[in-house]
Amino acid sequence: MGFDRRTFIKFAAGASAGIMVTPLPWKLLDDVAIWTQNWSWIPSPRKGETTYTNAFSKLDPFGVPMKVRRVRNMPVRVLPQPGHPLGGGLSALSIAETQLLYSPSRLQRPQLRGADGKFKEVSWPEASRKFQEELRNAGQNIAFISGDENSSVTEVLSALANALGSNDIYLMPSEAQSAAKAAELMGFNARFGYDLEGSDHVLAIGANILENWGTVLRNRRIFKNSHPHSFRNKETNKEDTANTAALVYAGPLQNNTAAVAESWLPIYPGTEGVLALGIANLLIAAGKTAPAADFDAFKDFVAAYGPEKTAELTGVDRKKLEAEVAKLLAAEKPLLIIGAASGSGAGAAALIAGMAVNALLGNINRPGGITLLPKAGKILKNAAPLADIYRNDLTQFFARREKPALLLIHEANPIYALPNPEACKAALKAVPFKVSFSTFMDETSALCDLVLPLSMGLERVDDAETPYGSGKISYCISAMVAKPGAGVLNTGNVILSVARRLGKDLGFELYEDLLRAKARLYEKSSFESLAAGFPAESDEKVEAGAFSFKPGILDKAFALEGNKGKVRLAAYVRASLGTAKTGIPPYSNKTLRADELRGNLMSVLINGATAARNKLADGDKVFLEGGGKKIAARVRVFEGIINDAAGVCLGFGHSALDEFSQNKGANVMELVTAAPEPETGLNFWCKAGVDIYKA
Amino acid sequence: MSANKDFNVKWGMAIDLDKCTGCGACMMACQAENNLAPVADASNKQRVINWLVVYEMSNNKSFPDHEIAYLPRPCQQCAEQPCTTVCPVVATERNEEGGIVSQIYPRCIGCRYCMAACPYHARCFNWFDPVWPKGMEKVLTPDVSTRPRGVVEKCTFCHHRFMQAKDKVRAGGGNIYVRGVDNKLHCAVPEEDYITSCAEACPNGAIVFGDLNNPDHQVHKLVTGNANAFRLLERLGTDTAVYYISRREWVRRLGDNYLPDEETQKPRQILPKRH
Amino acid sequence: MEEKNNSADNPNCRPKSIAALIPFFAGLILALAFGWLVFPELLFSQEAQPFFFSHQTHLKKAGAVCADCHSLRSDGSFTGIPNNSTCASCHEGILSPEPGQKDSVAAKAAYQAEKTFVEGYLKPGKSVDWKVHQRQPDNVFFSHPAHFQKCFTCHLTMKGRLNFGTPENPRKLCVTCHPSIDELEKGKPVERNVLTGYSRTTLKMSGCEHCHAYPGHFFGDGKGRTFANNACFTCHK
C-alpha cells in the first residue's frame, strides 16, 4: 500500500491535532504579533543616563547658547540654556546641531584633488604635509578667508598670514562688517552695541531683528519680556496688560519681525538708508540736533529728504512716516536699528544714516540707545585687529585680477553665499591652490584642491566674542560635548602646528591653550567657568569723542543704482534654512509651508497689484532674470509685500551638501552682482532689479 | 475610549499669536524631541509627518492693509475627542489624569479613521518606514519610541516629560497628586518641570504650557476670563485644551470659520462647556 | 512521556488492519514532540554574558542589597545595570584571593571574572556589554519609582500571600516581576526569542496586567481610587 494519500491525510490530521495542544501555534501567534511591533530595521533610541552640558553654538552665527542633553555621554538633544545673557529659547538651526553631527555631507577624511581632477582620500599627516608644502611654496602670496568673525580662529589665521608676510585676510560679508565700516567713517573708535533691554521703542529698518539680525535669541527674549500676553478682561472688556516697549518694522515685506511688530512700514528694498534720512529730516525739523562735527552740512543734506521726497524714493506712506517719527519723538528711549533684510550687502552708508538718527535722538552711549563698545581685543602679537580685517572686502577680492598662489578658506562657503556665484567660481578656479577647512562638503569645498575635515562646533573647544548686535561686551567659550571622529581636527590646532613647523611659532601649542590665555583677559571669569557656560560680561564703554555724519559719503552712496528690472528684488532670510555653511538642516524642510517650496520650485512673493501689472497669477511658473542669470520660481500672490517688489527666500538652490539641501529652489544670489558702494568701498547688492516673466 | 472624562488635572496650552513670528523653532524642537524622521523632500504635505505645524494666516486684505499672523497647531487634546471614539482597537484614548489623548503605536492598525475624524488635521500616518541618514539614529532621544510604517501618530504634549517629571517627584518621596488651597487635587509636579519641547524652545515665549485647572499656573490665569482667548473650531464642542490668544479680531475670527456676516464674540455651543 | 512507548511503532511501516489509525497517532506524537520539545529550543537563541557574574556572591557573601547596585537617580530614572563606577566602588582592584591560595573552581572563576573586569573594562574605561534579561521594548515606559511608591504602600505591610517583604528587604517585590537571583546565577546567558527579540524572562504585557487590569487595584481602598491605572499612557510612550 505504501505511503498513500489516505495515510498522508491521517498523518496530517494527527499532526494538526497534536500541534494544537502544543504551545507552538499560540506562542507563534503572540510572538509574530510582537515581531510586527518591533521591526529590526526601525532604529531604537540609545538608552542610559542623561547628563547636561552647556555649549555655545558655532553653527548659528547669531549667538546661541545651548544646553546639550547627553545620553551615556553622546549628545542627543539641544535644549535652551536658561539664564544666559544672550539666550532665551532656541534657534531652529541650533536645534538641529546634534543631527548635523551625522549629516550625510560631513567630511570624515582629508580630500586631496588628484591629477585626474577627482578627490581622493588622504591621511591627515599627508594632508598637512601637502598643505605645509603649498604654504611654503606660495611664500607671502597667500590669502585667507574666515567664515567665523566671533571666533579666535580668525585671530590665529591672521597671525599666520602676517607671519608669512601677507595681510590678505577676509571675513564673509556681514552686518558687523558694515557696522565696523560705518563706525570707522563716522570717527568712532568703537563697535556699536545695541541696548535693546533699555529701549522703550525700537524701530527696525531692514534688520529682521527677531529672525536674523544680531543676537537673535536675546532680541527675542527682550521682545518677550516687553510684550506680556494680552489679557482683555471679560468683565471690563479692557486690556489688563500693556507692552512696555514698542516694536516697529520697516522693510519691503512682512517678515517674521513685521508679523509681530506694532506696525509695518513698507519700503522698497535697498532704501533703508534713505528712510533713515527722511526720519532725520523730520527729527531736525522738530528741533533735534546732534553734536556731530559736520551737523550743519548734514542738516543741509537731509533737507532734500523731506517727507514727500522720502515717500517717493522709498515707497513709504508719508502719513505713516510722520506718525512713526512722532512716536519716536514721544518715546523716552527710542532706538533705531538698521540692517539688511538679507543679512548682508547693505553697505555702510545706511548704517551711517541710521546712526545719525540715533545721534539725533541723543542715543549715543545713552541707556536704551547705542552703546559704544571697545573693539575686540587680541592676544597674538602678529594678528591684525578684527576691526582691520573688516576693512578688507571679500567681494572685491574675488573681483580683483591678480590672485594669490594659495587661498585658505575656514568654515566659509563664499561660492554659495556671495553675489554672482559664477564669477566667484571662476575667480576661485584661477587660484592655483585652494584649501578649505570645512565640516561639510559644501559648494566651495567641492572646488578646492585640499579639503580638511573640521570638527563641528559641538566637537571642539571654541569661543565667541561679543556677537554683533550685543548690548555689551561678552565672551563665551563652548565646551566640547561630543567626541570628534578620528578623521576630523579643528582649524586652530592645525594652523598652530603648521605655523610651528614653518618656523613661525605663534606661541601656543594648542588652540585650547590660546583660549585659556584669552580667558585671562576677563578678570572675573576663568576658563573653567567660561567653558561651563557662564559667559564673561563687561559694561565697558568708549567715549564718543568727535564724530561726524559724512553727508558727502551718504550723498554718493545713495545715488548708487542696482541693475534695472521690472521688479525690485527683496531677498529675505528664514533662519530655519540654516546658513551657507550648513545648508538646510535635517528637519528644516518640514518647517517650510507648501506655499514656500513645492517639489523643487520655490515661491516668489509679489502682491496682487504687481501681479496684475505683470500679467501674472498665483501659481504661475515664472523666471526671474537679473545680471544675465535666471532662476525659476512659482508666483505666490502675497499682499504683505510692497508694490513692484519680488520677495525671494535665501538659502535654497544648494548644489553641494546633502539631500536635505539639494534640489530645492534656486540660489537668489545668482541674480545679483555686488558693486563697491561709492566712498565706503563696501560690497553692496541690496538694490537689484530683476525681470519677471512667465515660463 | 471613554470620552468626556473630567480630570482633576487638565494639561493645556495657551499660544499667544501676537508673539509668534513663525520662525519654526517649535517645529524643529518637536521633531528632535519626538524622534520624527527627516525627509529629503517635505513639500508633499500629505505624506509628511509633523506633530506640530505652523500655519500662516492672513487678514485677506490687499497691500498695504495686509496683516499676517502665524498659528502653531499641536494636537488640541480635546476633552470630547472625535478621534478616540472611532478607533476600532482602542489604540488611542483619553483616560489618564491630565487629559492627554494617548496614541499607542504597537496597537494601532493603521485604519486612519481617527485621521478622518480629527477636525484639526493633527494626526499623521506613517506612509513609509522612517529612515535616518547613516549614524543620525544615534541622536534619537531615549524617551519616545520610533514608529514603523503603517501606524498613526500625533502630538502627545511630550507626555514622556510628564512621566519623567512624575518620577522625579516620586524619587524625592513626594506624592503626585496633592490637594491645593482650593480643596481640589492638583499635580505636584512643579510648573517648570513639565513643559513641552515646543514651549521650551520658543524664544518669544509664545507657548505657555501648564495645568488649565490649577489656579497657580500661568496658563490658567491666561485663559480664564480673557476675552482675547479662543479655541479652534470651538463650536464643534470638542472642548480642546489648546487656547489661542490674540488682540486682533481677524485672527480670532479665523479660529472658527465664521461666516462673513456672523457675530463672533460668543460661538454657539453645541455641547456643554466643560470648564 | 508516552512517546517513548509509541515510538516503537514505526510510522512508516505498513499498517495492519488493526493499525489503520497508526499514521494519525504518528503525526500526533511527532507534532507533540516537535511542539513541546523542539520548538521551544528553536525559538530561543542564547547570548552569553561577557564574563562570569554571581548575584549570590554579592548578596550572600558581600551582604549587598538590590538597591546597592540598582537604584534610582535623583531625576527619578532607574540605573538598571550598574555602570563601571558603581562596580568600581568595591572592585577598584581585584578582591578575590590569588588562585594559588584557594583552589576551588568557584574561586578561580571569581578571580578570573574580576581580573577581566578590572583589566579589560575598568582600566581602559570600556563599559561592560551585559546582556539584559529584562529589557522592555522602546514603546514601554516602566517607572520604578511609581512601583516602589505605590506597591510598597500596601504590599510590604499586608499579611499572608500578598506580603512581598519588608521595607528593609523588599526582595520579594522585585522578584514579582524580575527573575530571582537563583535563576540568574552563574552568569546565565540571555535566552532571546529569535522572533520578537525579547529575552525569555522579559515581563510581557500580560504580566503587567496582573496588577494593572486587576479590579481590586481599582477599588482597593474602597473609595474607587485608582491604584494601578490601566490607561495606555500610564506605561506606553
Side-chain angles (χ1 to χ4, degrees):
Chain A
M1 191 164 107
F3 194 73
D4 58 11
R5 186 173 167 274
R6 185 174 288 264
T7 317
F8 174 73
I9 288 171
K10 281 179 187 164
F11 179 80
S16 307
I19 217 76
M20 286 311 188
V21 292
T22 69
L24 188 141
W26 322 111
K27 177 78 180 146
L28 218 50
L29 210 57
D30 188 27
D31 284 357
V32 166
I34 297 173
W35 171 62
T36 64
Q37 295 167 4
N38 299 288
W39 299 122
S40 57
W41 59 89
I42 308 289
S44 170
R46 183 182 177 83
K47 294 158 198 80
E49 187 176 14
T50 287
T51 50
Y52 298 95
T53 313
N54 288 335
F56 197 83
S57 176
K58 288 313 292 176
L59 290 188
D60 194 314
F62 303 112
V64 177
M66 326 182 272
K67 181 173 84 178
V68 181
R69 176 181 177 193
R70 301 195 297 170
V71 171
R72 277 193 288 138
N73 294 327
M74 294 271 285
V76 297
R77 258 299 259 132
V78 172
L79 300 167
Q81 183 185 343
H84 195 291
L86 298 179
L90 286 169
S91 70
L93 175 57
S94 61
I95 292 167
E97 285 203 24
T98 48
Q99 278 75 27
L100 282 166
L101 286 170
Y102 299 97
S103 161
S105 62
R106 269 209 74 173
L107 289 153
Q108 306 291 353
R109 297 261 175 287
Q111 311 275 330
L112 179 67
R113 197 177 294 282
D116 58 352
K118 286 196 181 114
F119 278 128
K120 72 170 200 289
E121 276 192 7
V122 292
S123 69
W124 260 104
E126 197 183 337
S128 59
R129 204 160 40 239
K130 175 79 180 160
F131 174 44
Q132 210 174 303
E133 183 192 307
E134 292 288 340
L135 259 183
R136 204 180 306 238
N137 293 345
Q140 58 185 52
N141 194 11
I142 52 171
F144 291 179
I145 299 172
S146 168
D148 191 346
E149 59 190 16
N150 302 323
S151 161
S152 296
V153 168
T154 303
E155 190 179 328
V156 175
L157 288 171
S158 162
L160 177 65
N162 282 342
L164 294 172
S166 160
N167 57 6
D168 245 5
I169 176 161
Y170 303 87
L171 286 158
M172 289 295 287
S174 67
E175 298 270 18
Q177 185 178 34
S178 304
K181 191 75 186 176
E184 187 188 340
L185 290 169
M186 293 178 84
F188 292 118
N189 185 26
R191 291 185 277 181
F192 296 130
Y194 298 82
D195 185 20
L196 277 159
E197 284 93 344
S199 171
D200 65 348
H201 185 102
V202 177
L203 169 58
I205 306 180
N208 194 354
I209 61 168
L210 303 183
E211 181 80 0
N212 72 318
W213 179 92
T215 48
V216 173
L217 292 189
R218 165 180 162 261
N219 304 347
R220 295 181 69 173
R221 189 191 67 227
I222 295 163
F223 170 80
K224 164 188 170 178
N225 294 339
S226 63
H227 288 68
H229 301 287
S230 94
F231 191 99
R232 185 158 52 93
N233 199 310
K234 266 187 184 155
E235 277 154 32
T236 61
N237 203 28
K238 291 216 173 69
E239 291 277 353
D240 286 359
T241 56
N243 297 343
T244 56
L247 172 64
V248 176
Y249 181 73
L253 60 83
Q254 274 173 338
N255 56 12
N256 312 60
T257 304
V260 294
E262 272 83 342
S263 55
W264 169 51
L265 288 181
I267 57 168
Y268 294 127
T271 62
E272 290 85 0
V274 178
L275 182 71
L277 292 182
I279 293 170
N281 173 294
L282 288 167
L283 289 177
I284 291 171
K288 292 278 180 189
T289 60
D294 53 359
F295 178 69
D296 290 332
F298 181 74
K299 190 174 164 184
D300 292 345
F301 168 62
V302 297
Y305 291 88
E308 201 76 35
K309 178 79 173 165
T310 308
E312 184 201 320
L313 288 172
T314 65
V316 74
D317 184 90
R318 186 190 158 160
K319 284 210 187 83
K320 260 188 166 174
L321 172 67
E322 283 166 342
E324 288 306 329
V325 172
K327 281 193 232 162
L328 278 178
L329 284 163
E332 245 171 70
K333 286 167 183 168
L335 171 63
L336 184 132
I337 297 176
I338 197 160
S342 54
S344 58
L351 250 296
I352 297 176
M355 284 303 149
V357 171
N358 275 315
L360 286 169
L361 292 166
N363 267 351
I364 305 298
N365 269 344
R366 191 197 63 179
I370 301 294
T371 313
L372 297 176
L373 306 174
K375 290 180 181 174
K378 62 181 185 98
I379 55 166
L380 290 176
K381 243 184 282 138
N382 262 334
L386 189 63
D388 290 1
I389 301 177
Y390 276 133
R391 281 198 201 119
N392 306 338
D393 188 278
L394 184 59
T395 56
Q396 284 162 46
F397 165 76
F398 274 107
R400 121 186 149 191
R401 186 159 311 144
E402 61 280 7
K403 298 283 185 268
L406 182 142
L407 176 65
L408 183 158
I409 301 161
H410 160 70
E411 285 222 292
N413 189 5
I415 295 305
Y416 175 82
L418 292 186
N420 202 351
E422 279 308 315
C424 292
K425 253 184 228 176
L428 190 70
K429 277 189 183 145
V431 177
F433 195 78
K434 293 88 65 184
V435 187
S436 172
F437 285 79
S438 182
T439 310
F440 308 103
M441 190 48 131
D442 55 22
E443 284 82 356
T444 304
S445 300
L447 293 176
C448 286
D449 301 296
L450 179 63
V451 185
L452 299 172
L454 194 55
S455 49
M456 223 181 82
L458 291 178
E459 299 168 326
R460 65 176 192 246
V461 186
D462 209 339
D463 64 344
E465 199 269 341
T466 321
Y468 179 67
S470 297
K472 48 171 91 169
I473 295 291
S474 68
Y475 185 63
C476 304
I477 287 182
S478 182
M480 187 194 289
V481 296
K483 228 174 105 189
V488 299
L489 291 175
N490 79 55
T491 310
N493 282 341
V494 175
I495 295 295
L496 287 173
S497 80
V498 164
R500 203 161 44 246
R501 272 179 276 148
L502 289 173
K504 310 281 181 194
D505 195 347
L506 300 177
F508 292 97
E509 181 118 359
L510 290 173
Y511 183 57
E512 193 179 318
D513 299 337
L514 184 146
L515 298 183
R516 280 177 190 276
K518 213 160 200 187
R520 283 194 280 279
L521 297 179
Y522 301 87
E523 282 162 17
K524 286 181 201 143
S525 302
S526 65
F527 175 79
E528 284 70 27
S529 72
L530 288 164
F534 303 100
E537 280 197 290
S538 143
D539 288 323
E540 234 180 306
K541 273 185 206 173
V542 174
E543 286 305 314
F547 62 91
S548 47
F549 290 159
K550 300 283 179 200
I553 291 179
L554 300 182
D555 190 21
K556 294 206 181 85
F558 290 149
L560 178 72
E561 284 296 326
N563 42 347
K564 294 264 176 277
K566 279 192 213 155
V567 289
R568 304 172 198 236
L569 192 71
Y572 65 99
V573 173
R574 275 203 63 168
S576 68
L577 292 188
T579 64
K581 289 188 280 193
T582 64
I584 303 176
Y587 292 152
S588 270
N589 55 47
K590 281 199 198 177
T591 69
L592 292 168
R593 297 183 308 276
D595 58 22
E596 294 179 284
L597 178 79
R598 207 176 310 162
N600 61 3
L601 204 56
M602 63 198 271
S603 290
V604 51
L605 313 181
I606 51 175
N607 71 23
T610 312
R613 203 161 319 143
N614 291 288
K615 300 194 175 59
L616 295 170
D618 195 87
D620 280 353
K621 193 183 167 193
V622 291
F623 283 120
L624 292 168
E625 193 171 323
K629 295 273 159 34
K630 66 177 181 180
I631 63 174
R634 179 186 278 111
V635 169
R636 178 183 170 213
V637 172
F638 173 69
E639 295 295 344
I641 182 166
I642 195 165
N643 289 333
D644 299 320
V648 275
C649 188
L650 291 166
F652 290 120
H654 278 283
S655 58
L657 296 163
D658 56 25
E659 64 203 31
F660 303 109
S661 301
Q662 290 169 354
N663 298 322
K664 287 176 208 337
N667 185 2
V668 180
M669 282 301 183
E670 306 222 354
L671 302 180
V672 291
T673 313
E677 193 177 42
E679 299 293 320
T680 75
L682 220 54
N683 54 79
F684 183 87
W685 63 76
C686 284
K687 229 170 169 179
V690 288
D691 282 334
I692 183 167
Y693 55 87
K694 220 181 255 190
Chain B
M1 198 161 54
S2 41
N4 67 56
K5 262 197 183 177
D6 264 332
F7 295 107
N8 293 309
V9 176
K10 188 173 176 185
W11 297 114
M13 269 181 194
I15 303 180
D16 191 338
L17 303 182
D18 296 345
K19 283 193 169 195
C20 176
T21 65
C23 73
C26 53
M27 287 175 75
M28 297 281 283
C30 173
Q31 294 178 63
E33 178 79 12
N34 292 300
N35 293 339
L36 273 73
V39 289
D41 179 11
S43 66
N44 182 353
K45 296 300 173 194
Q46 290 183 325
R47 292 287 181 273
V48 163
I49 296 177
N50 266 322
W51 290 10
L52 174 66
V53 176
V54 178
Y55 294 99
E56 188 181 283
M57 304 197 292
S58 153
N59 67 349
N60 280 330
K61 289 190 178 162
S62 295
F63 176 83
D65 301 317
H66 185 256
E67 276 184 50
I68 192 172
Y70 293 94
L71 183 139
R73 190 240 53 221
C75 169
Q76 307 286 306
Q77 314 290 358
C78 310
E80 309 274 350
Q81 319 91 58
C83 55
T84 63
T85 44
V86 298
C87 181
V89 293
V90 207
T92 177
E93 58 164 19
R94 182 177 178 272
N95 200 11
E96 192 201 23
E97 190 62 72
I100 296 174
V101 177
S102 65
Q103 179 71 29
I104 309 301
Y105 318 118
R107 194 163 181 123
C108 176
I109 56 170
C111 71
R112 315 201 294 285
Y113 286 5
C114 55
M115 288 174 69
C118 177
Y120 304 103
H121 294 269
R123 290 171 165 275
C124 294
F125 183 66
N126 283 276
W127 290 96
F128 313 102
D129 274 330
V131 178
W132 282 265
K134 191 166 167 283
M136 212 179 275
E137 75 283 348
K138 288 184 197 151
V139 298
L140 293 174
T141 65
D143 318 321
V144 181
S145 57
T146 48
R147 285 78 59 186
R149 167 179 42 169
V151 303
V152 170
E153 59 185 71
K154 67 158 194 87
C155 158
T156 61
F157 270 2
C158 288
H159 182 267
H160 55 280
R161 291 187 172 204
F162 180 38
M163 303 211 246
Q164 286 160 349
K166 281 195 290 189
D167 272 4
K168 195 174 160 191
V169 172
R170 287 180 183 126
N175 275 317
I176 301 300
Y177 296 102
V178 291
R179 210 160 280 284
V181 282
D182 54 358
N183 206 29
K184 287 183 182 143
L185 280 180
H186 296 303
C187 187
V189 169
E191 195 176 355
E192 64 280 4
D193 272 15
Y194 172 36
I195 54 165
T196 57
S197 179
C198 51
E200 176 188 60
C202 179
N204 287 23
I207 306 179
V208 178
F209 184 81
D211 177 7
L212 289 166
N213 289 346
N214 189 336
D216 294 333
H217 279 207
Q218 197 196 354
V219 68
H220 173 93
K221 293 176 196 162
L222 270 178
V223 304
T224 317
N226 186 352
N228 282 346
F230 66 101
R231 294 183 284 178
L232 294 185
L233 304 178
E234 210 156 340
R235 69 176 92 191
L236 291 182
T238 44
D239 192 8
T240 63
V242 178
Y243 286 78
Y244 292 88
I245 299 173
S246 181
R247 281 189 186 86
R248 292 170 280 187
E249 202 205 336
W250 68 265
V251 173
R252 297 197 298 271
R253 278 183 73 95
L254 276 176
D256 217 343
N257 282 343
Y258 291 97
L259 298 171
D261 57 343
E262 196 175 351
E263 287 298 321
T264 68
Q265 287 308 314
K266 273 267 152 249
R268 195 160 42 88
Q269 210 70 43
I270 296 172
L271 290 168
K273 208 173 174 164
R274 302 198 70 83
H275 68 264
Chain C
M1 290 183 97
E2 294 169 273
E3 70 259 33
K4 216 162 192 175
N5 303 333
N6 291 328
S7 64
D9 300 320
N10 185 343
N12 289 332
C13 76
R14 198 171 294 241
K16 304 279 180 303
S17 54
I18 49 154
L21 282 176
I22 284 176
F24 176 84
F25 283 108
L28 184 79
I29 284 153
L30 270 182
L32 284 171
F34 182 77
W36 285 103
L37 299 174
V38 182
F39 167 71
E41 294 304 312
L42 287 179
L43 195 60
F44 289 94
S45 68
Q46 296 221 332
E47 281 176 22
Q49 298 291 359
F51 56 87
F52 173 86
F53 177 88
S54 165
H55 274 95
Q56 297 281 17
T57 309
H58 285 83
L59 289 168
K60 299 203 170 136
K61 288 201 184 144
V65 295
C66 306
D68 286 345
C69 304
H70 311 285
S71 57
L72 286 184
R73 299 190 190 96
S74 59
D75 67 356
S77 59
F78 190 67
T79 53
I81 304 281
N83 57 17
N84 277 6
S85 62
T86 312
C87 300
S89 60
C90 297
H91 298 275
E92 223 174 339
I94 300 172
L95 299 175
S96 314
E98 292 275 337
Q101 295 168 290
K102 218 176 161 193
D103 264 340
S104 74
V105 179
K108 267 189 196 153
Y111 177 81
Q112 204 49 48
E114 263 197 288
K115 199 169 140 102
T116 312
F117 170 68
V118 173
E119 282 165 15
Y121 294 93
L122 188 61
K123 282 186 188 155
K126 205 175 111 187
S127 51
V128 188
D129 181 26
W130 292 113
K131 302 288 180 271
V132 185
H133 282 277
Q134 285 206 297
R135 177 84 75 207
Q136 286 292 324
D138 290 342
N139 59 63
V140 174
F141 180 92
F142 182 85
S143 162
H144 274 94
H147 290 83
F148 290 165
Q149 194 180 47
K150 295 287 173 78
C151 307
F152 278 25
T153 312
C154 305
H155 286 285
L156 296 184
T157 54
M158 283 167 117
K159 294 270 178 290
R161 194 171 58 86
L162 295 173
N163 178 284
F164 289 168
T166 61
E168 294 75 41
N169 189 11
R171 212 179 284 167
K172 196 173 167 198
L173 189 68
C174 301
V175 302
T176 306
C177 307
H178 292 288
S180 74
I181 55 163
D182 301 317
E183 286 175 63
L184 295 181
E185 203 37 43
K186 306 259 176 355
K188 187 180 179 210
V190 168
E191 294 174 277
R192 198 170 297 289
N193 187 310
V194 291
L195 213 48
T196 63
Y198 289 13
S199 140
R200 193 198 280 277
T201 40
T202 293
L203 189 73
K204 287 171 56 185
M205 192 165 149
S206 55
C208 307
E209 296 287 276
H210 278 312
C211 301
H212 278 268
Y214 178 54
H217 278 92
F218 280 90
F219 311 103
D221 64 352
K223 293 176 194 148
R225 203 167 74 183
T226 303
F227 274 15
N229 195 334
N230 201 29
C232 305
F233 249 14
T234 309
C235 318
H236 282 286
K237 62 175 185 164

